Amino acid sequence: MATSQIASNVSTDLTSRLKVLPMFNTRILPRIVPLLLIGTIKVSEAAPVTPEQLAAQVQRAAQVELKRHAELSNWVEPEFAVEVVRNTRPIGPCNAVPRVEAQDVRSPARMRFVAICPDAGGWRYEFVTRARISARVAIAANDLSSGKILAPEDVLLERHDITGTPDAFGDLAVLQETAARRTIRAGTVLRQNMLAAPTLVKRGEAVRIVAKRDQVEVSMAGEAMDTGARGATVRVKNASGVTIRARVTDVGQVEPVD
């Protein structure tokens, strides 16, 4: 075959191929592009969750619970340092952001959480947090003897580590009309088990029975048959020798319950 004839055949073949290619692209590309996009989405969604990411989520959840504890306990200017005890199990991929749920948060110093992958058949990992807590809390400003009713000058607020004393008082108002159960040294952080409502009525002592109705007030002498603090119900023998039930209202004073 002559050289000119070969060149002509090659040119004709190339021209025919170039005419077919646009049709091929028009038909195939719409099918290829969605497949490529699906592959890209699956790869990005199935990204592994790092231990650092889970620890950060657990730490944030612990901070929320600590703030809740602080509000319920009326801690003044609380500060927290939270450590997340790492889980050694390998963490698998998750198609969504894991959620963190509280498991046991009764003790703010040591709480338990669980991280959950919401995928069907997803994983669960348990975490423990340890916290150091400080706040401005009530301390004894002076040595307090057993039975001493607290006065404003007997207490003050100071910053202390209360990690082991979550029942410390942050509100001085709640300490009014409380008494020391035992001797308390100056500088001691006051706790609930150290204080009690003071005894206002003692068994065998004389009391004043006061009954009020509308604008009328009637009182008579009586004898306490029980010992009680403010609000307690005790038995009282009135001047007629009749025993009644009465509520303690003040030092040496009660009001009839019935």
Side-chain angles (χ1 to χ4, degrees):
M1 183 180 294
T3 301
S4 59
Q5 182 63 38
I6 292 174
S8 175
N9 291 342
V10 170
S11 176
T12 301
D13 184 59
L14 286 174
T15 301
S16 63
R17 286 175 180 272
L18 289 173
K19 290 180 179 178
V20 171
L21 280 174
M23 294 179 62
F24 173 82
N25 291 341
T26 303
R27 293 176 180 178
I28 300 301
L29 282 176
R31 299 180 182 179
I32 293 178
V33 171
L35 292 175
L36 291 174
L37 289 175
I38 291 172
T40 303
I41 292 171
K42 286 185 177 179
V43 170
S44 62
E45 287 184 348
V49 180
T50 66
E52 290 74 17
Q53 290 172 327
L54 275 186
Q57 278 188 262
V58 173
Q59 189 176 51
R60 288 193 293 271
Q63 290 280 358
V64 170
E65 290 298 329
L66 287 169
K67 289 178 181 177
R68 184 179 65 83
H69 274 284
E71 291 175 357
L72 292 175
S73 302
N74 292 317
W75 293 337
V76 179
E77 300 174 14
E79 295 180 358
F80 316 115
V82 182
E83 173 194 2
V84 179
V85 180
R86 297 300 180 91
N87 196 314
T88 57
R89 290 172 54 194
I91 300 172
C94 188
N95 289 321
V97 177
R99 69 177 186 271
V100 175
E101 297 179 356
Q103 291 289 94
D104 186 352
V105 294
R106 290 172 295 178
S107 172
R110 187 181 187 276
M111 299 183 288
R112 292 175 55 245
F113 297 86
V114 60
I116 303 170
C117 175
D119 290 349
W123 42 254
R124 294 170 59 95
Y125 294 95
E126 290 191 358
F127 288 88
V128 173
T129 63
R130 298 190 182 116
R132 292 190 65 84
I133 308 164
S134 72
R136 287 169 52 80
V137 293
I139 69 166
N142 313 299
D143 289 341
L144 304 175
S145 58
S146 178
K148 170 73 166 62
I149 297 178
L150 272 60
E153 61 270 18
D154 291 324
V155 295
L156 55 84
L157 289 178
E158 275 190 1
R159 178 167 294 281
H160 278 267
D161 185 330
I162 58 170
T163 303
T165 55
D167 58 342
F169 295 93
D171 185 0
L172 297 183
V174 303
L175 300 179
Q176 294 180 6
E177 297 188 352
T178 59
R181 289 180 178 270
R182 56 179 175 79
T183 300
I184 302 173
R185 297 300 181 190
T188 302
V189 175
L190 298 177
R191 304 180 63 177
Q192 293 178 11
N193 62 358
M194 297 179 181
L195 306 172
T199 299
L200 302 182
V201 169
K202 293 183 179 180
R203 180 179 180 181
E205 292 186 350
V207 295
R208 182 167 171 257
I209 306 170
V210 179
K212 297 180 181 180
R213 184 169 185 177
D214 298 329
Q215 302 299 321
V216 179
E217 177 178 312
V218 178
S219 66
M220 68 171 58
E223 179 185 345
M225 307 296 290
D226 300 305
T227 297
R230 186 184 301 277
T233 299
V234 296
R235 294 172 301 157
V236 176
K237 183 184 295 184
N238 63 22
S240 302
V242 177
T243 299
I244 64 171
R245 295 169 61 246
R247 181 179 299 104
V248 179
T249 58
D250 208 335
V251 178
Q253 182 173 303
V254 298
E255 64 179 8
V257 172
D258 300 327

Coordinates of all heavy atoms in Angstrom, one line a residue, residues 141-175:
A141 N -14.1 30.6 112.5 CA -13.2 31.7 112.8 C -12.6 31.6 114.2 O -11.5 32.2 114.4 CB -13.9 33.0 112.6
N142 N -13.3 30.9 115.1 CA -12.8 30.8 116.5 C -13.0 29.3 116.9 O -13.6 28.6 116.2 CB -13.6 31.7 117.4 CG -13.8 33.1 116.9 OD1 -12.8 33.8 116.7 ND2 -15.1 33.5 116.7
D143 N -12.3 29.0 118.0 CA -12.6 27.7 118.6 C -14.1 27.7 119.1 O -14.5 28.6 119.7 CB -11.7 27.4 119.8 CG -10.2 27.2 119.4 OD1 -10.0 26.9 118.2 OD2 -9.3 27.3 120.2
L144 N -14.8 26.6 118.7 CA -16.2 26.5 119.0 C -16.4 25.3 120.0 O -16.0 24.2 119.7 CB -17.0 26.3 117.8 CG -16.9 27.3 116.7 CD1 -17.7 26.9 115.4 CD2 -17.4 28.7 117.2
S145 N -17.0 25.6 121.1 CA -17.2 24.5 122.1 C -18.5 23.7 121.7 O -19.3 24.2 121.0 CB -17.4 25.1 123.5 OG -18.4 26.0 123.5
S146 N -18.6 22.5 122.2 CA -19.8 21.7 121.9 C -21.0 22.4 122.4 O -21.1 22.8 123.5 CB -19.6 20.3 122.5 OG -20.8 19.5 122.3
G147 N -22.0 22.5 121.6 CA -23.3 23.1 121.9 C -23.3 24.6 121.7 O -24.4 25.2 121.8
K148 N -22.2 25.2 121.2 CA -22.1 26.6 121.0 C -23.0 27.0 119.8 O -22.9 26.4 118.7 CB -20.7 27.0 120.7 CG -20.5 28.5 120.2 CD -20.7 29.5 121.3 CE -20.2 30.9 120.8 NZ -20.8 31.4 119.7
I149 N -23.9 27.9 120.0 CA -24.8 28.4 118.9 C -23.9 29.4 118.1 O -23.4 30.4 118.6 CB -26.0 29.1 119.4 CG1 -26.9 28.0 120.1 CG2 -26.9 29.6 118.2 CD1 -28.2 28.6 120.7
L150 N -23.8 29.2 116.8 CA -22.9 30.0 115.9 C -23.5 31.4 115.8 O -24.7 31.7 115.5 CB -22.8 29.4 114.6 CG -21.6 28.4 114.4 CD1 -21.8 27.2 115.4 CD2 -21.5 27.9 113.0
A151 N -22.6 32.4 116.0 CA -22.9 33.8 115.7 C -22.1 34.2 114.5 O -21.2 33.5 114.0 CB -22.4 34.6 116.9
P152 N -22.5 35.4 113.9 CA -21.8 35.8 112.6 C -20.3 35.9 112.7 O -19.6 35.6 111.8 CB -22.5 37.2 112.4 CG -23.8 37.1 113.0 CD -23.6 36.3 114.2
E153 N -19.8 36.3 113.9 CA -18.4 36.4 114.1 C -17.6 35.1 114.3 O -16.4 35.0 114.3 CB -18.0 37.3 115.3 CG -18.6 36.8 116.6 CD -20.0 37.3 117.0 OE1 -20.7 37.7 116.0 OE2 -20.3 37.2 118.2
D154 N -18.4 34.0 114.3 CA -17.8 32.7 114.5 C -17.4 32.0 113.2 O -16.7 31.0 113.2 CB -18.7 31.8 115.3 CG -18.9 32.2 116.7 OD1 -17.9 32.7 117.3 OD2 -20.1 32.1 117.3
V155 N -17.9 32.5 112.1 CA -17.6 31.9 110.8 C -17.1 32.9 109.8 O -17.4 34.1 109.9 CB -18.8 31.2 110.2 CG1 -19.2 30.0 111.2 CG2 -20.0 32.1 110.1
L156 N -16.4 32.4 108.8 CA -16.0 33.3 107.7 C -15.7 32.4 106.4 O -15.6 31.2 106.6 CB -14.7 34.1 108.0 CG -13.5 33.4 108.5 CD1 -12.6 32.9 107.4 CD2 -12.7 34.3 109.4
L157 N -15.6 33.1 105.3 CA -15.4 32.3 104.0 C -13.9 32.4 103.7 O -13.3 33.4 103.7 CB -16.2 32.9 102.9 CG -17.7 32.7 102.9 CD1 -18.4 33.4 101.7 CD2 -18.1 31.2 102.9
E158 N -13.3 31.2 103.3 CA -12.0 31.1 102.8 C -11.9 30.1 101.7 O -12.7 29.1 101.7 CB -11.0 30.7 103.9 CG -10.5 31.8 104.8 CD -9.4 31.3 105.7 OE1 -9.0 30.1 105.6 OE2 -8.9 32.1 106.5
R159 N -11.0 30.2 100.8 CA -10.8 29.2 99.7 C -10.1 28.0 100.2 O -9.0 28.1 100.9 CB -10.0 29.8 98.5 CG -9.8 28.8 97.4 CD -9.3 29.4 96.1 NE -10.4 30.3 95.5 CZ -11.4 29.8 94.9 NH1 -11.6 28.5 94.6 NH2 -12.3 30.7 94.4
H160 N -10.7 26.9 100.0 CA -10.1 25.6 100.5 C -10.3 24.5 99.4 O -11.2 24.6 98.6 CB -10.7 25.1 101.8 CG -10.1 25.8 103.0 ND1 -9.1 25.3 103.7 CD2 -10.4 27.0 103.6 CE1 -8.8 26.1 104.7 NE2 -9.6 27.1 104.7
D161 N -9.4 23.5 99.4 CA -9.6 22.3 98.6 C -10.7 21.5 99.3 O -10.6 21.1 100.4 CB -8.3 21.5 98.5 CG -8.5 20.3 97.6 OD1 -9.6 19.8 97.5 OD2 -7.4 19.9 97.0
I162 N -11.8 21.3 98.6 CA -13.0 20.6 99.2 C -13.3 19.3 98.4 O -14.4 18.8 98.4 CB -14.2 21.5 99.2 CG1 -14.6 22.0 97.8 CG2 -14.0 22.7 100.2 CD1 -16.0 22.7 97.8
T163 N -12.2 18.8 97.7 CA -12.4 17.6 97.0 C -13.0 16.5 97.8 O -13.9 15.7 97.4 CB -11.1 17.1 96.4 OG1 -10.5 18.2 95.5 CG2 -11.3 15.9 95.5
G164 N -12.5 16.4 99.1 CA -13.0 15.3 100.0 C -14.1 15.8 100.9 O -14.5 15.0 101.8
T165 N -14.5 17.1 100.8 CA -15.5 17.6 101.7 C -16.6 18.3 100.9 O -16.8 19.5 101.0 CB -14.9 18.6 102.7 OG1 -14.2 19.6 102.0 CG2 -14.0 17.9 103.7
P166 N -17.3 17.6 100.0 CA -18.4 18.2 99.2 C -19.5 18.7 99.9 O -20.4 19.5 99.4 CB -18.8 17.0 98.2 CG -18.5 15.8 99.0 CD -17.3 16.1 99.8
D167 N -19.7 18.4 101.2 CA -20.8 18.9 102.0 C -20.4 20.2 102.8 O -21.1 20.6 103.8 CB -21.3 17.9 103.0 CG -20.2 17.4 104.0 OD1 -19.0 17.6 103.7 OD2 -20.5 16.8 105.0
A168 N -19.3 20.9 102.4 CA -18.9 22.1 103.0 C -20.0 23.2 102.7 O -20.7 23.1 101.7 CB -17.6 22.6 102.5
F169 N -20.0 24.2 103.5 CA -21.1 25.3 103.3 C -20.5 26.4 102.6 O -19.4 26.9 102.9 CB -21.5 25.8 104.7 CG -22.3 24.7 105.5 CD1 -21.6 23.9 106.4 CD2 -23.6 24.5 105.3 CE1 -22.3 23.0 107.2 CE2 -24.3 23.6 106.1 CZ -23.6 22.8 107.0
G170 N -21.2 26.9 101.6 CA -20.8 28.1 100.9 C -21.7 29.3 101.2 O -21.4 30.4 100.9
D171 N -22.8 29.1 101.9 CA -23.8 30.1 102.2 C -23.8 30.3 103.8 O -24.2 29.4 104.5 CB -25.2 29.7 101.7 CG -26.2 30.8 102.0 OD1 -25.8 31.9 102.5 OD2 -27.4 30.6 101.6
L172 N -23.3 31.4 104.2 CA -23.2 31.6 105.7 C -24.6 31.7 106.3 O -24.7 31.5 107.5 CB -22.4 32.9 106.0 CG -20.9 32.8 105.6 CD1 -20.2 34.1 106.0 CD2 -20.2 31.6 106.1
A173 N -25.6 32.1 105.5 CA -26.9 32.3 106.1 C -27.5 31.0 106.6 O -28.2 31.0 107.6 CB -27.8 32.9 105.0
V174 N -27.2 29.9 106.0 CA -27.7 28.6 106.5 C -27.1 28.2 107.8 O -27.6 27.2 108.4 CB -27.5 27.5 105.4 CG1 -28.2 27.9 104.1 CG2 -26.1 27.2 105.2
L175 N -26.1 28.8 108.2 CA -25.4 28.4 109.5 C -26.0 29.2 110.7 O -25.7 28.8 111.8 CB -23.9 28.8 109.4 CG -23.1 28.0 108.3 CD1 -21.7 28.4 108.4 CD2 -23.3 26.5 108.5

